[in-house]
């Protein structure tokens, strides 16, 4: 009877360990998924910022050229 109790206890402990490891695995997958989502969002934000920067650069360049032409015409 004592052996049966020890075996039962060992099985219950092993099941508990397996459950904990399973939950940790699920948690790790959730963290990984969240990190991938965050990386995708950061990447799209950076791309948007680059595009806006290019547009601003060309707008400033055009404004400077217009200003130079205005100064030349006044001379």
């Amino acid at each position: 009877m004592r052996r049966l109790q020890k075996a039962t206890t060992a099985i219950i402990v092993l099941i508990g360990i397996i459950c904990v490891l399973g939950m940790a695995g699920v948690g790790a997958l959730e963290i990984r998924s969240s990190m991938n989502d965050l990386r995708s969002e950061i990447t799209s934000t950076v791309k948007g910022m680059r595009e806006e920067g290019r547009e601003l650069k060309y707008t400033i360049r055009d404004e400077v050229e217009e200003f130079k032409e205005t100064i030349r015409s006044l001379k």
Side-chain angles (χ1 to χ4, degrees):
M1 192 68 167
R2 194 82 162 141
R3 282 185 177 172
L4 184 60
Q5 285 179 337
K6 286 184 180 182
T8 304
T9 303
I11 290 172
I12 290 173
V13 168
L14 286 174
I15 290 173
I17 291 171
I18 290 170
C19 287
V20 168
L21 291 176
M23 289 188 307
V26 169
L29 289 175
E30 187 67 30
I31 291 170
R32 182 178 174 191
S33 175
S34 297
M35 293 298 288
N36 284 337
D37 292 345
L38 181 62
R39 185 184 74 197
S40 297
E41 191 166 328
I42 289 172
T43 301
S44 64
T45 301
V46 168
K47 285 180 182 178
M49 291 173 70
R50 283 182 184 162
E51 290 173 9
E52 289 175 10
R54 284 188 200 120
E55 290 174 11
L56 183 60
K57 176 177 133 182
Y58 292 125
T59 302
I60 292 172
R61 184 180 294 165
D62 292 343
E63 291 294 325
V64 168
E65 285 301 317
E66 287 179 23
F67 184 68
K68 285 180 181 178
E69 289 176 16
T70 304
I71 291 175
R72 285 184 199 128
S73 68
L74 293 175
K75 287 183 179 181

